[in-house]
Amino acid sequence: MRELLKKVFGDGNQKELKSIQKVTDQIEALEPEYEKLSDQALKDKTEDFKQRYQNGESLDDLLVEAYAVVREGARRVLNLRPFPVQLIGAVAMHRGNIAEMKTGEGKTLASTMPAYLNALTGKGVHIITVNDYLAERDAHDMGKLYQFLGLTVGLNKNGMSKEEKREAYAADITYGTNNEYGFDYLRDNMVLYKEQMVQRPLHFAIIDEVDSILIDEARTPLIISGTAQKSANLYQQANAFVRTLKNEEDYTFDEKSKGVQLTEEGMNKAERFFQVENLFDLNHVTLMHHINQALKAHVTMHRDTDYVVDEGQVVIVDQFTGRLMKGRRYSDGLHQAIEAKEGLQIQKESMTLASITFQNYFRMYEKLAGMTGTAKTEEEEFSNIYAMDVIAIPTNKPIIREDHADLIYKTMNGKFKAVAEEIKLRHLKGQPVLVGTVAVETSELIAKMLKSEGIPHNVLNAKNHYREAEIIENAGQRGAVTIATNMAGRGTDIKLGDGVTELGGLAVIGTERHESRRIDNQLRGRSGRQGDPGVTQFYLSMEDELMRRFGSDNMRSMMERLGMDDDQPIESKMVSRAVESAQKRVEGNNFDARKTILSYDDVLRQQREIIYKQRFEVIDSDNIREIIEG
């Protein structure tokens, strides 16, 4: 159907690109004139634009001149001249869309133009990144350009005082992470006095790695909690009971939905263990809940995949980026159940004082824009939920990277042996290798195999993320071997060392497919940036989680029929297609889960907006008699 619509109406992306191209040609045409301006004359343009905006000109009227000013400023201050494709991305963002720009195409520089233009209104522009390191780096590097042009720049960080935060938000352009902005909004609506609020009304936001923030993180709401008293005793008892259960006999586990349930036999055991007559009696609801959470903790939550134990605390690992989510806890007692399973001190349960999903927080901005290397696969969701279109921006130089079809092995063991062999061969000829893994434990397993082969390597996962920037910066050097979970330096570029181009560029090896195609595309995109050579290859096995949960049974039986041994992979487009359709199914399930969370939060949103509005009226007025009488 989609292909048919494209034929009838033309590709929307091409149409939009054509319209943007006209604008970028006008920006290009101003270059000779702006090159002749002195630094002071260039700076004076900012005041001139602000004045014209106040006098009724629109931002669209100012766009061509403003972008030409930023481009000339970037050349003078940062020694970087935006390419025409970066101008195209910059125009797409100002129009409230998502610019899909491949890795290494300079998204950060492209974002300076819409940020500058929209800051001329004086209402503030928020630039949102996935981590503090990137927020700090960009505020410092791009801040030089904004300050040269006469704008102020703020950095909004965790742990700052209210005064420091208020100052950061008062700046023309403010950098920070999505979590920090969301929590500031919730905290602002819990203050007792208006003077304690830090945010201004939400005007325009540019979201870096927009797919990570608006899609991957949309399933976890931001929650501010207080403590509620509950006894740790029941968690320990439920944990002791669950340890005695056997799979299939006492409980069943459905791998596709990750659902786990007691069998008839399991229920009888529970009644004997807790000495109750009927487990389903209303008096035993709490007990049943604890047993279910303990089951979930033991059967579906895996240490070093879903969470790590760090300094005696259970810390959640973000399954999309591989980062540690410090300070976040599973709700409904699941976190306490995992603490009991790991033999740690059980923390008090919390009760929610305020919460919001990222979807609803970001929909409060007057205008949103985004940028990422991978968004096309989620186009429908961006359009439905955020009313943003995804514009695929052409690359500055053609991509010459070779993407090989997947190799699929019968067992995990066979797959990892092949991966280690491949790394060894490429390392011997001096080609740098980046190995992508889905879980912390996989990265540690490969590291162990390489150690026994005597191959020097760096491991980048949730356990040693503090060296991230340094490890990624050296990942393109001759002979470098880097093993990384999905965090693989989002937002940092892997530049090739001397002589690496001749060796074929960076080799990327994926050790399994992620449940989201975007994450795989990101890993691929680490290689072959800016027209560099590169090669990518995914290694899979029939025992991988994605293949177990969603792979087809005919593929298994085909491997059996061919009598394949463990060292012999199948390489076929059919396999790659089967994997992709499995990924599409998971993506569909996840989209449904996010839609459900959003529909629940929409009910809360209506209440939240009414209550927060009334609350603000109360703290904003000197005399509340009228409000109360009303």
Side-chain angles (χ1 to χ4, degrees):
M1 183 67 188
R2 192 163 193 160
E3 293 309 311
L4 180 72
L5 287 172
K6 272 188 189 172
K7 279 180 191 159
V8 180
F9 298 108
D11 184 346
N13 199 64
Q14 285 309 322
K15 244 165 93 178
E16 185 69 10
L17 283 177
K18 263 192 185 149
S19 129
I20 293 175
Q21 188 64 57
K22 287 182 188 152
V23 182
T24 55
D25 290 344
Q26 293 171 338
I27 301 166
E28 290 278 344
L30 288 177
E31 185 166 37
E33 180 190 330
Y34 282 39
E35 266 179 344
K36 293 181 193 141
L37 295 176
S38 68
D39 283 2
Q40 192 53 50
L42 202 60
K43 286 177 191 176
D44 292 344
K45 287 276 186 191
T46 303
E47 276 314 309
D48 173 44
F49 292 148
K50 284 182 178 175
Q51 205 49 58
R52 282 164 59 187
Y53 176 76
Q54 296 301 329
N55 295 341
E57 281 192 54
S58 73
L59 292 182
D60 290 351
D61 298 333
L62 300 171
L63 186 144
V64 172
E65 295 168 70
Y67 277 26
V69 163
V70 179
R71 191 188 46 198
E72 184 53 35
R75 199 178 60 76
R76 295 184 193 186
V77 179
L78 307 172
N79 208 7
L80 296 167
R81 181 191 180 281
F83 301 120
V85 289
Q86 286 168 298
L87 297 180
I88 294 175
V91 176
M93 285 188 256
H94 168 66
R95 291 182 176 181
N97 292 322
I98 292 168
E100 185 187 73
M101 299 169 74
K102 296 283 172 261
T103 307
E105 290 290 308
K107 295 188 277 287
T108 311
L109 186 59
S111 68
T112 56
M113 291 174 262
Y116 170 83
L117 176 63
N118 285 272
L120 297 171
T121 60
K123 295 178 186 171
V125 171
H126 294 171
I127 299 187
I128 288 132
T129 66
V130 282
N131 61 44
D132 286 327
Y133 163 74
L134 290 176
E136 213 157 318
R137 182 197 74 179
D138 294 349
H140 177 264
D141 296 352
M142 300 299 130
K144 293 176 193 160
L145 169 59
Y146 300 128
Q147 282 155 350
F148 170 77
L149 293 172
L151 294 180
T152 54
V153 181
L155 175 63
N156 174 27
K157 271 168 63 178
N158 189 0
M160 287 167 77
S161 69
K162 291 224 158 176
E163 286 66 39
E164 291 169 319
K165 274 188 177 286
R166 207 168 298 114
E167 196 181 324
Y169 277 115
D172 293 316
I173 295 166
T174 311
Y175 283 85
T177 65
N178 46 325
N179 286 347
E180 214 43 45
Y181 284 106
F183 279 131
D184 284 340
Y185 169 75
L186 291 176
R187 286 190 285 255
D188 267 0
N189 285 292
M190 293 168 72
V191 299
L192 295 177
Y193 302 102
K194 185 182 163 190
E195 297 71 48
Q196 295 171 328
M197 297 176 87
V198 296
Q199 282 188 344
R200 297 195 275 167
L202 305 175
H203 169 234
F204 176 53
I206 299 176
I207 306 176
D208 190 10
E209 308 298 2
V210 63
D211 51 328
S212 174
I213 290 172
L214 293 190
I215 288 187
D216 300 339
E217 298 216 13
R219 285 193 292 180
T220 330
L222 293 173
I223 295 172
I224 292 184
S225 5
T227 51
Q229 285 304 121
K230 277 251 178 105
S231 80
N233 212 357
L234 206 45
Y235 286 110
Q236 280 152 345
Q237 288 174 333
N239 181 60
F241 164 64
V242 166
R243 281 189 189 282
T244 66
L245 302 181
K246 296 186 182 70
N247 189 4
E248 295 304 330
E249 190 183 309
D250 302 319
Y251 63 86
T252 56
F253 174 52
D254 174 21
E255 209 149 4
K256 283 191 184 173
S257 67
K258 293 203 169 177
V260 57
Q261 274 179 329
L262 287 177
T263 60
E264 194 78 39
E265 180 53 35
M267 290 171 201
N268 294 338
K269 274 191 183 170
E271 286 168 350
R272 288 198 296 274
F273 186 92
F274 290 100
Q275 298 173 337
V276 298
E277 217 156 273
N278 174 10
L279 199 54
F280 292 95
D281 188 313
L282 270 179
N283 297 329
H284 303 314
V285 169
T286 311
L287 172 62
M288 195 64 205
H289 176 71
H290 279 70
I291 294 173
N292 284 333
Q293 295 300 52
L295 256 181
K296 205 168 164 186
H298 277 273
V299 183
T300 66
M301 308 304 290
H302 303 293
R303 184 172 175 162
D304 285 348
T305 301
D306 300 296
Y307 64 91
V308 297
V309 175
D310 184 33
E311 295 176 356
Q313 305 269 342
V314 170
V315 185
I316 302 174
V317 174
D318 180 342
Q319 65 171 93
F320 289 98
T321 61
R323 292 177 194 285
L324 290 183
M325 298 163 88
K326 290 218 162 154
R328 287 229 190 157
R329 289 175 67 81
Y330 293 117
S331 57
D332 277 350
L334 178 58
H335 214 94
Q336 285 82 355
I338 298 172
E339 286 165 341
K341 165 188 164 184
E342 295 293 346
L344 303 169
Q345 187 186 348
I346 295 170
Q347 308 284 333
K348 282 182 184 160
E349 279 191 32
S350 54
M351 62 186 211
T352 301
L353 300 177
S355 90
I356 193 167
T357 57
F358 281 130
Q359 291 140 307
N360 271 330
Y361 173 69
F362 284 113
R363 293 195 313 183
M364 291 192 299
Y365 280 85
E366 273 177 61
K367 184 166 84 176
L368 266 189
M371 47 186 183
T372 175
T374 43
K376 263 302 186 200
T377 53
E378 315 286 352
E379 199 166 10
E380 180 194 355
E381 185 162 351
F382 283 123
S383 175
N384 287 354
I385 291 180
Y386 304 101
M388 296 162 91
D389 289 330
V390 178
I391 311 295
I393 311 293
T395 53
N396 188 42
K397 293 176 182 166
I399 294 176
I400 58 169
R401 183 185 69 229
E402 291 175 56
D403 294 332
H404 294 306
D406 300 348
L407 292 174
I408 186 155
Y409 289 78
K410 201 165 146 188
T411 66
M412 269 197 190
N413 194 25
K415 172 182 81 170
F416 286 128
K417 267 177 25 198
V419 166
E421 193 51 40
E422 175 76 2
I423 296 169
K424 188 176 167 185
L425 290 173
R426 291 192 184 272
H427 174 68
L428 286 173
K429 70 170 198 178
Q431 185 175 18
V433 181
L434 174 69
V435 187
T437 66
V438 170
V440 176
E441 59 181 343
T442 321
S443 60
E444 290 177 346
L445 170 75
I446 293 170
K448 214 157 125 191
M449 292 171 86
L450 294 183
K451 199 173 175 183
S452 67
E453 291 279 355
I455 297 170
H457 56 274
N458 272 314
V459 182
L460 172 58
N461 60 29
K463 289 184 173 176
N464 66 351
H465 56 95
Y466 47 88
R467 289 185 52 221
E468 178 179 352
E470 172 201 342
I471 291 176
I472 284 294
E473 288 191 351
N474 295 320
Q477 299 304 315
R478 205 185 169 104
V481 175
T482 312
I483 304 166
T485 44
N486 292 321
M487 64 203 299
R490 262 199 106 141
T492 45
D493 259 349
I494 299 181
K495 296 190 170 61
L496 300 185
D498 293 337
V500 169
T501 307
E502 293 69 34
L503 294 168
L506 177 70
V508 168
I509 292 174
T511 57
E512 66 187 279
R513 286 286 200 167
H514 193 273
E515 59 179 45
S516 160
R517 287 171 296 165
R518 275 179 306 106
I519 308 288
D520 291 341
N521 293 341
Q522 264 156 23
L523 181 61
R524 280 217 152 110
R526 295 271 145 236
S527 170
R529 52 180 287 285
Q530 281 291 346
D532 286 337
V535 60
T536 68
Q537 172 89 69
F538 277 88
Y539 285 75
L540 319 180
S541 87
M542 294 313 292
E543 296 175 346
D544 291 352
E545 190 185 1
L546 185 79
M547 302 306 284
R548 282 201 324 264
R549 282 174 69 191
F550 295 95
S552 65
D553 293 329
N554 359 347
M555 263 162 64
R556 266 190 211 101
S557 52
M558 180 175 84
M559 293 189 96
E560 295 297 339
R561 270 205 316 280
L562 293 170
M564 292 185 58
D565 63 16
D566 221 11
D567 304 329
Q568 210 184 355
I570 307 179
E571 178 176 9
S572 88
K573 288 277 184 256
M574 184 197 102
V575 172
S576 299
R577 276 200 301 273
V579 172
E580 190 165 326
S581 80
Q583 288 174 309
K584 279 182 184 165
R585 295 223 299 280
V586 187
E587 284 166 11
N589 291 355
N590 290 346
F591 181 22
D592 291 341
R594 288 188 292 269
K595 274 210 304 216
T596 309
I597 285 175
L598 187 60
S599 57
Y600 278 119
D601 194 53
D602 272 341
V603 178
L604 285 174
R605 176 178 61 94
Q606 292 166 358
Q607 292 178 328
R608 189 168 45 227
E609 284 174 4
I610 293 166
I611 299 293
Y612 284 0
K613 186 169 171 247
Q614 284 188 338
R615 203 174 182 283
F616 183 73
E617 280 171 5
V618 170
I619 61 176
D620 190 36
S621 46
D622 300 328
N623 185 349
I624 59 171
R625 187 185 183 102
E626 266 178 49
I627 299 174
I628 291 172
E629 284 174 352

